[in-house]
Amino acid sequence: MCGIIGYVGKKCTAPILIDGLKRLEYRGYDSAGLAIVSDGRIASEKAVGKVKRMEDAALAQPGFMKLCGCGIAHTRWATHGAPSEVNAHPHFNMDHTIAVVHNGIIENYQDLRRRLEAKGCKFASQTDSEVIAHMISEAYQGDLLAATAAILDQLNGTYGIAVVSSAQPGLIVVARKGSPIVIGLGEGENLVASDVSPLLPHTRQVIYLEDGDIAAITAEKVDLRSVKNVPVEREVAKIDWDAGAAEKGNFAHFMLKEIFEQPESIANAIRGRVDHELGSAILNGMNLSPRELAQITHIVIAGCGSSMHAGLVGEYYFEDIAGISTSVEQAAEFRYRNPIIEPNTLVIPISQSGETADTIAAVREAVQKGAIVTAICNVVGSTIAREAGRGVYLHAGPEISVASTKAFSSQVVMLLLFALRLGRNRRFSRSDGMLLANEIERIPELVREVLAQAPQIEKIAKRYAHNENFFFIGRGCLYPAALEGALKLKEISYIHAEGYHAAELKHGPISLLDEHHPVVALANDIPGKDKIIGNIQECRARRAPVIAVATRGDKQVLEMADAVIEVPPCSRFVAPLPTAVALQLLAYYTAVERGCEVDQPRNLAKSVTVE
Ligand code: M6R
């Protein structure tokens, strides 16, 4: 949540910061602001709403876009204080000589604020972040790095901060505890950011700060230290995403682009990981020997939102393919309900961003309880990837749209590979493994076939987009696909949508059905289809329009449903993937029809980095 970008070098600073903010906008879009140190002062601009509004205000300031030197900028997802211009970052000390941008939450800010106010400090905003600017100002004696380091241990909570001072032009100080900061290394220039996406047009060489790190960054040098002022060394990582990967190209929205990227992103997840000879999967990042794998007695999957839904699909895989009892935890609950973690429990945290606060907390709890932890993440070098110690990357490329699409499908594929590997350690035969391995290799093609039906799905979406309530129903491993379909629809179209196990309808929800309440029924031709057929009849008997997802050519479903989205025939294990893609398209076209901000739905941000 919230995005930070900073630049130090010779180029005009505002255009670089504004471009960076636009690339970060998926992290929050309540307000935006920037501060540039130039000619011994800090010039700044802020605006409520999208970065574009702030850009327009900056363009209207004569000469602002030509200022060169160093600067910091921020796009905000409001936590403390309403979305307003005063609450937009950067925040300043009283004489406007120090500016700070902050991601995270300062939990003890009220105590700190009271102490500062008692000493005569005047606050401009209602945010927790502003205390940082006043505290650094109070500690400042000509050395911004030292002043920042001096106050950090008074801050409870989490922070990723970037600080500039008009007294030290050409210098950005950054610090991290619980909220990511990445340094981008350039030629005669350096950048800082809260994630790598705004750095891609400038450099591929990055340093990920660790918690407790603080750094002084000039155009020529990065001086990296611990808060105790001891120099530290961090590896320079190379980002292999190209800049185009984080751009929309010819697509109307990032979400559509990312939906259409799935044949490739899934192929990337599979590449080099299928062992046809042994009918198994190769997941080196798990770093577990066959003996260790054989000793796993229970699996706990933890995640939030779509990542948790992927985990629910995984639960079916691990129990059915590997015969290992599996439970899926909402990451937000994991540490509070004191889960039972026995010595041979494998905990799998799943997170696209690797920065979701609750999933990070789950990882820490699992590590602390002595579990074997192996993460599934997309963002390389993210907190979860690093703290879990072992895991696999999705290689899906940057996912910019707030609604997760390609990360979800790759997570499901990764869980299927994982289950295959564990299954082959146990009861899954080589021949069954070979069949499943072949099915897994087919997934990109199955998804391509669904994408080819986008125009038909668009028509269906337009027909039903005016309804305000939807149910999604499924059974078996299509039940989590129903949950995911409902989440996708509600988050981007603002339609109230609920996912249910099809059998649950009769336990209450069915009372809501009428002709204005469509039901999306996942009626693929896999075990359990006959039961779903019965559930479709029950919905129709209550006059609810039924949109069915069905296996291509299934006449029975075609005759029964009001609209049918066809998916190619495939096994039950693979079925959630083409189905999820069909539902992503349904949600996308519905949101477009309703004129919604598809990539940046109201009230949301891409990474939920606070509890
Ligand atoms: O980065 P993560 O996978 O940890 O994010 C988890 C959820 O915040 C995320 O999946 C969210 O539910 C998406 N907006 C769903 O489309």
Side-chain angles (χ1 to χ4, degrees):
M1 274 162 168
C2 306
I4 289 175
I5 172 83
Y7 171 82
V8 50
K10 292 197 176 63
K11 295 180 186 150
C12 289
T13 308
I16 293 173
L17 296 182
I18 290 169
D19 175 70
L21 285 186
K22 286 181 179 166
R23 291 168 191 273
L24 282 168
E25 214 166 17
Y26 66 102
R27 296 187 63 114
Y29 28 86
D30 289 335
S31 62
L34 83 179
I36 298 172
V37 182
S38 185
D39 295 334
R41 60 183 273 272
I42 301 181
S44 66
E45 193 53 77
K46 293 181 180 187
V48 177
K50 296 278 175 82
V51 174
K52 181 75 182 72
R53 291 186 64 184
M54 196 269 291
E55 180 180 26
D56 291 343
L59 284 164
Q61 265 199 55
F64 193 88
M65 300 302 276
K66 296 232 164 70
L67 295 175
C68 297
C70 97
I72 53 176
H74 188 267
T75 179
R76 178 170 186 247
W77 186 87
T79 55
H80 294 64
S84 67
E85 208 167 299
V86 283
N87 288 337
H89 298 222
H91 293 289
F92 297 89
N93 62 341
M94 283 202 296
D95 59 11
H96 217 84
T97 54
I98 288 171
V100 174
V101 290
H102 165 229
N103 282 0
I105 290 184
I106 306 303
E107 287 161 0
N108 58 336
Y109 82 100
Q110 282 162 320
D111 293 344
L112 297 167
R113 182 172 177 143
R114 270 194 289 277
R115 182 183 68 71
L116 288 158
E117 281 174 336
K119 291 173 87 178
C121 197
K122 296 270 179 290
F123 278 73
S125 76
Q126 290 86 50
T127 65
D128 54 332
S129 310
E130 191 183 342
V131 292
I132 303 171
H134 295 296
M135 289 169 74
I136 295 174
S137 181
E138 194 181 42
Y140 188 74
Q141 291 177 347
D143 183 342
L144 192 61
L145 182 71
T148 306
I151 65 123
L152 293 177
D153 65 354
Q154 297 169 56
L155 305 177
N156 295 345
T158 55
Y159 54 78
I161 55 171
V163 193
V164 291
S165 164
S166 56
Q168 288 181 266
L171 171 71
I172 303 175
V173 171
V174 289
R176 169 194 166 134
K177 183 183 151 204
S179 199
I181 292 286
V182 192
I183 301 171
L185 306 173
E187 295 283 327
E189 62 182 14
N190 286 308
L191 296 103
V192 300
S194 47
D195 70 58
V196 296
S197 53
L199 305 179
L200 295 177
H202 307 279
T203 180
R204 297 297 143 77
Q205 310 284 330
V206 301
I207 297 173
Y208 295 100
L209 256 58
E210 303 267 341
D211 276 354
D213 287 354
I214 178 165
I217 299 155
T218 63
E220 304 298 340
K221 196 174 164 214
V222 173
D223 180 4
L224 201 53
R225 292 161 186 269
S226 72
V227 259
K228 304 263 176 277
N229 203 19
V230 180
V232 288
E233 290 212 2
R234 299 279 171 237
E235 190 192 335
V236 176
K238 186 161 182 329
I239 305 298
D240 56 10
W241 292 349
D242 64 65
E247 276 160 21
K248 264 195 299 221
N250 293 328
F251 287 90
H253 297 98
F254 277 109
M255 183 179 177
L256 190 63
K257 175 180 180 237
E258 288 158 10
I259 291 173
F260 272 84
E261 278 173 354
Q262 288 175 106
E264 198 188 324
S265 55
I266 291 172
N268 288 344
I270 296 171
R271 189 166 300 116
R273 286 171 167 157
V274 174
D275 183 338
H276 287 282
E277 184 60 29
L278 291 178
S280 185
I282 306 159
L283 294 168
N284 293 333
M286 281 195 315
N287 207 8
L288 291 166
S289 68
R291 178 177 285 272
E292 287 168 316
L293 288 175
Q295 284 166 351
I296 292 165
T297 52
H298 182 61
I299 295 176
V300 176
I301 301 174
C304 300
S306 295
S307 294
M308 188 190 69
H309 292 160
L312 288 167
V313 182
E315 183 179 20
Y316 283 85
Y317 293 161
F318 288 123
E319 298 204 333
D320 204 337
I321 299 170
I324 305 176
S325 83
T326 302
S327 50
V328 181
E329 302 278 344
Q330 281 181 343
E333 234 2 77
F334 187 78
R335 77 193 118 152
Y336 295 118
R337 55 182 288 269
N338 200 11
I340 296 161
I341 302 292
E342 289 177 334
N344 291 326
T345 301
L346 170 68
V347 174
I348 307 177
I350 306 181
S351 175
Q352 186 285 129
S353 61
E355 302 296 348
T356 298
D358 285 320
T359 315
I360 293 174
V363 171
R364 289 179 182 155
E365 181 71 12
V367 168
Q368 194 273 122
K369 282 195 144 93
I372 310 159
V373 183
T374 187
I376 297 180
C377 288
N378 189 35
V379 177
V380 175
S382 56
T383 304
I384 292 172
R386 286 184 289 120
E387 293 205 11
R390 46 161 84 93
V392 285
Y393 284 119
L394 302 176
H395 303 306
E399 190 180 68
I400 306 292
S401 167
V402 165
S404 182
T405 54
K406 62 177 178 171
F408 171 81
S409 53
S410 292
Q411 288 163 348
V412 172
V413 167
M414 204 56 77
L415 288 161
L416 186 52
L417 288 164
F418 220 147
L420 175 59
R421 178 71 191 87
L422 285 166
R424 290 289 291 115
N425 258 75
R426 294 171 165 73
R427 61 186 189 173
F428 217 57
S429 69
R430 180 161 173 248
S431 58
D432 284 345
M434 287 162 92
L435 284 176
L436 184 53
N438 286 339
E439 269 279 287
I440 292 173
E441 293 275 23
R442 277 182 67 216
I443 297 172
E445 189 47 41
L446 297 175
V447 167
R448 215 169 270 124
E449 288 182 40
V450 176
L451 295 175
Q453 290 185 66
Q456 291 90 303
I457 298 175
E458 183 176 10
K459 276 193 198 135
I460 296 173
K462 284 187 167 159
R463 204 158 113 207
Y464 293 99
H466 62 280
N467 291 284
E468 293 304 328
N469 296 286
F470 272 66
F471 283 164
F472 286 68
I473 57 170
R475 287 173 173 265
C477 53
L478 291 179
Y479 161 55
L483 298 179
E484 176 61 9
L487 172 60
K488 225 70 316 165
L489 185 68
K490 78 181 101 176
E491 95 178 296
I492 60 167
S493 73
Y494 315 144
I495 289 173
H496 173 240
E498 295 297 334
Y500 285 106
H501 189 283
E504 272 295 312
L505 277 195
K506 289 194 285 291
H507 296 281
I510 202 165
S511 66
L512 290 169
L513 292 187
D514 61 20
E515 66 273 32
H516 307 297
H517 197 310
V519 176
V520 179
L522 308 185
N524 311 45
D525 192 9
I526 58 171
K529 183 195 138 190
D530 49 338
K531 302 265 188 290
I532 274 275
I533 294 290
N535 302 129
I536 290 178
Q537 299 289 24
E538 290 155 9
C539 297
R540 283 175 56 85
R542 274 92 194 159
R543 289 172 292 125
V546 173
I547 304 165
V549 174
T551 302
R552 195 170 48 227
D554 187 328
K555 291 210 177 67
Q556 187 186 20
V557 180
L558 199 62
E559 279 163 15
M560 198 177 286
D562 299 276
V564 175
I565 300 172
E566 290 193 325
V567 294
C570 58
S571 77
R572 69 185 191 285
F573 293 129
V574 163
L577 289 145
T579 305
V581 174
L583 300 184
Q584 292 164 2
L585 286 169
L586 184 70
Y588 172 77
Y589 289 119
T590 305
V592 170
E593 179 67 13
R594 289 167 69 97
C596 299
E597 286 257 19
V598 173
D599 284 334
Q600 293 162 356
R602 68 187 180 208
N603 303 337
L604 290 174
K606 182 72 180 160
S607 305
V608 182
T609 53
V610 292
E611 250 194 273

